[in-house]
Amino acid sequence: MINAKLNAIKPISTLAIYLALVVWVSLCLIALWAVVNLNLRDAERSFTEHGEEYVDKLNRSMVSSETVLKGFSALFAAIGNTNPEKVSVYVKSVIETNDQIFALEIIQKVGKKQLQDFIVSKRLGGNPSFTVKSFSFGDNRGWAPPQDKLFYYPVIYMESLSSGSQEILGLDVSSSPFLESAVTQAITLRRPVASHPFRLIQGNVAYVVFCPIKSEENMIVDMIIDTTKLQRPSDNLMRDGFSATVYHRDFSAQDTKGHLFSVSGSTRSAIETTIFPLFQHQKSLSTMGEPFSILMTRQAGWTDLSLKLIGLIALLSFVSSAILYIYLRSLQRGRLEHINHQNLLWKLANQDGLTGIPNRMLMIDRLEQAIAASDRNGQYGAVIFLDIDNFKSLNDTKGHDAGDLLLIEFAKRIKDCIRDVDTVARLGGDEFIVILSELGSELAESNAAATQVADKIRSVVEQPCRLQLFDYQVAVSIGITLFKGSEKTINQLLKAADDAMYQQKAMHHH
């Protein structure tokens, strides 16, 4: 078929272009996401590494304090009672070199019955104003007389760089419940035990570590650690969105009562908090039976992204998407132009230039189809040959424009008389052919049907028509030949119709 070649090239649909763009943009977004993901993984790794480094330093300083306390306990057990001055020299040098140690103290356990004798002996021993007293570490902070209880744990020795610390002497440590629980645990477990954090009489947050003295049943050494002096995170940790909280394990990380300290870098914006992950790192600190934990968090944000690289990828994605779009669009235009060009060539090859109806070439193709169809369905078809009488004289008298207008009108009128399945074609000059198909399977009825169509065409085309400024009426000669299947060749059919038409023309002339 003549039409078959045309459908080989399909235009690219706009939907296909957009689909291709969506796929490409998705790939670009995946690449962007991969880069962002890598950046965030790097940020998390760096946070974990620096965090571990910091925990290490904090652990070392806490363990060194614990070592000092154990040393103090051993020294006191060896020479404390016989040579207190030597103990003092050691303690002073230790406090001067470890600035997180606020004070070192010795506590004595005294039963209720021995309390008065104990106070008297202390006053006689060179501290005339010595008394046992309690201190409230709650909201209404202050000194108070001792409570009535079975045992007291007064401070009998203290060394500190802080002025006014001598007033601590005589403080009954067990007057405060959280200190009492730590001191009794240390005695029971025979190892160092750290208390909950609290505010010193001087105001800083601190905690106390109690350590029993091996040889002395009723003596305990303790060390007060000032948490403001504990090692803080380094600058490369203290970046945007970082926070670290060191807290006692008896409390939750969020409960400020349990905090030794809490530090944080600059906060992130609400957008960053919403779209970026929060990294967390939690560990126990390896000192005194691990009573303390550290929780470090870091809110990731824009600063963790390599914005230049992401910007470059985004730019490349945008540019490449634009190029792809322009390319596909031009391809689409090219294809449409090609199809239009093909259609034009097809029209030139298959249509009559003047009237727009099929020409001889397409007529032969259509006749082949009609013969093949008749072969299949066993019905008759017909070829009608039409010729305008005296067309030459119209051309000669009124000019070619008038002749052209007549041919255009003539073709239009025939087309209006036939069905869509039938074909009208111009052979050239003033000769036209009509192909009718599916007229019926009986010869007589088919002949009648074809004659009916021919008569209808004659009556329509022989009505006057207006050409430019004058009316003109034509007469036509018509020849009909029927066919069924491929009994006759195309040439035989056309010749038979032509002959029939000439017979009629000859009759007109007579």
Side-chain angles (χ1 to χ4, degrees):
M1 308 250 283
I2 294 177
N3 278 22
K5 289 249 170 34
L6 283 185
N7 302 334
I9 290 189
K10 291 267 194 301
I12 302 172
S13 73
T14 306
L15 178 67
I17 290 181
Y18 285 128
L19 273 176
L21 265 183
V22 165
V23 169
W24 178 248
V25 170
S26 305
L27 289 173
C28 292
L29 287 175
I30 288 169
L32 260 181
W33 179 81
V35 170
V36 169
N37 225 14
L38 279 173
N39 285 171
L40 291 177
R41 290 234 299 275
D42 284 349
E44 185 172 18
R45 198 171 59 240
S46 147
F47 162 70
T48 311
E49 282 170 5
H50 287 130
E52 282 290 345
E53 237 170 76
Y54 169 58
V55 169
D56 219 35
K57 280 184 185 160
L58 194 58
N59 269 333
R60 282 207 296 275
S61 74
M62 288 176 119
V63 169
S64 77
S65 308
E66 195 183 338
T67 312
V68 166
L69 182 63
K70 286 178 175 164
F72 177 43
S73 163
L75 181 71
F76 190 83
I79 61 164
N81 288 335
T82 54
N83 203 335
E85 285 75 25
K86 274 194 174 164
V87 174
S88 268
V89 171
Y90 167 75
V91 171
K92 274 198 177 108
S93 70
V94 162
I95 290 178
E96 278 166 9
T97 51
N98 292 273
D99 63 346
Q100 77 270 25
I101 300 177
F102 176 78
L104 282 165
E105 301 174 332
I106 296 170
I107 292 162
Q108 189 168 347
K109 181 180 178 184
V110 181
K112 185 178 175 178
K113 293 199 177 99
Q114 290 85 39
L115 188 62
Q116 281 320 109
D117 292 350
F118 168 74
I119 293 173
V120 171
S121 73
K122 282 291 160 203
R123 285 178 178 171
L124 292 172
N127 192 343
S129 59
F130 184 86
T131 179
V132 172
K133 51 201 171 175
S134 65
F135 187 85
S136 155
F137 286 100
D139 298 330
N140 44 351
R141 298 159 68 85
W143 294 104
Q147 300 135 324
D148 185 27
K149 48 209 264 196
L150 283 176
F151 290 103
Y152 298 87
Y153 294 87
V155 176
I156 58 165
Y157 169 89
M158 181 194 194
E159 191 60 63
S160 171
L161 292 181
S162 161
S163 59
S165 51
Q166 286 311 308
E167 62 175 346
I168 302 285
L169 291 177
L171 165 66
D172 172 21
V173 171
S174 67
S175 65
S176 146
F178 68 89
L179 291 178
E180 181 181 33
S181 90
V183 93
T184 48
Q185 262 188 32
I187 292 170
T188 318
L189 300 171
R190 309 296 302 160
R191 65 167 176 77
V193 172
S195 75
H196 291 173
F198 64 98
R199 282 199 180 283
L200 287 169
I201 295 166
Q202 285 78 2
N204 284 356
V205 173
Y207 64 92
V208 186
V209 185
F210 297 100
C211 179
I213 298 173
K214 285 206 172 64
S215 57
E216 306 279 344
E217 257 323 287
N218 296 325
M219 296 265 195
I220 301 125
V221 291
D222 77 57
M223 170 172 64
I224 301 174
I225 299 289
D226 182 349
T227 63
T228 57
K229 299 289 196 325
L230 286 173
Q231 173 91 37
R232 292 299 192 261
S234 61
D235 287 346
N236 53 7
L237 252 190
M238 290 290 289
R239 289 191 315 199
D240 310 336
F242 174 79
S243 78
T245 302
V246 179
Y247 61 99
H248 195 289
R249 288 263 290 284
D250 290 352
F251 300 85
S252 79
Q254 285 68 41
D255 186 350
T256 50
K257 284 201 199 78
H259 288 188
L260 300 193
F261 66 84
S262 190
V263 290
S264 55
S266 55
T267 52
R268 295 286 196 185
S269 68
I271 294 179
E272 290 172 302
T273 316
T274 313
I275 62 176
F276 289 106
L278 177 74
F279 308 135
Q280 288 203 357
H281 193 55
Q282 189 161 17
K283 285 209 82 165
S284 298
L285 296 174
S286 54
T287 175
M288 297 156 299
E290 305 191 348
F292 301 118
S293 275
I294 180 167
L295 171 66
M296 288 176 285
T297 66
R298 185 155 176 284
Q299 174 60 58
W302 302 121
T303 51
D304 297 315
L305 303 182
S306 38
L307 292 172
K308 278 185 183 163
L309 178 61
I310 288 169
L312 181 67
I313 292 176
L315 181 69
L316 289 175
S317 303
F318 177 74
V319 171
S320 59
S321 303
I323 290 171
L324 180 68
Y325 178 72
I326 292 164
Y327 169 71
L328 290 173
R329 270 288 189 209
S330 72
L331 203 62
Q332 183 186 41
R333 268 199 305 277
R335 286 214 173 171
L336 284 172
E337 280 167 15
H338 187 71
I339 288 165
N340 289 339
H341 183 63
Q342 292 283 78
N343 286 342
L344 185 65
L345 288 179
W346 185 86
K347 277 183 177 168
L348 289 175
N350 295 282
Q351 275 184 359
D352 173 51
L354 177 65
T355 59
I357 61 174
N359 63 11
R360 183 187 183 90
M361 228 175 109
L362 185 56
M363 181 273 294
I364 288 172
D365 185 58
R366 295 276 173 88
L367 189 48
E368 277 175 358
Q369 288 179 42
I371 290 170
S374 163
D375 249 340
R376 281 196 304 277
N377 59 29
Q379 294 204 34
Y380 279 93
V383 175
I384 303 176
F385 207 112
L386 301 102
D387 180 87
I388 304 173
D389 294 345
N390 302 321
F391 178 68
K392 192 172 176 302
S393 69
L394 170 70
N395 265 344
D396 294 344
T397 57
K398 302 293 186 191
H400 281 279
D401 286 352
D404 287 351
L405 287 172
L406 177 71
L407 291 172
I408 292 167
E409 178 63 23
F410 191 79
K412 191 166 154 295
R413 288 185 184 186
I414 300 175
K415 210 171 173 187
D416 290 344
C417 293
I418 60 175
R419 302 167 299 177
D420 284 346
V421 291
D422 301 326
T423 299
V424 55
R426 182 179 170 209
L427 277 190
D430 57 347
E431 295 182 326
F432 292 80
I433 275 192
V434 173
I435 302 166
L436 305 177
S437 49
E438 296 179 27
L439 295 174
S441 46
E442 298 298 319
L443 182 61
E445 64 169 324
S446 306
N447 202 10
T451 310
Q452 196 184 351
V453 174
D455 290 346
K456 181 183 174 188
I457 291 174
R458 182 189 299 282
S459 72
V460 170
V461 297
E462 288 188 346
Q463 283 171 12
C465 72
R466 184 118 187 120
L467 300 177
Q468 292 163 333
L469 299 172
F470 62 92
D471 287 336
Y472 188 78
Q473 194 167 9
V474 298
V476 287
S477 303
I478 297 180
I480 304 172
T481 185
L482 292 186
F483 62 86
K484 187 179 186 185
S486 41
E487 296 163 355
K488 295 179 182 160
T489 65
I490 286 174
N491 287 338
Q492 287 170 332
L493 278 178
L494 292 175
K495 187 170 185 323
D498 195 26
D499 291 347
M501 187 270 298
Y502 270 109
Q503 280 173 350
Q504 206 185 55
K505 216 186 213 357
M507 282 165 61
H508 279 193
H509 286 299
H510 295 311

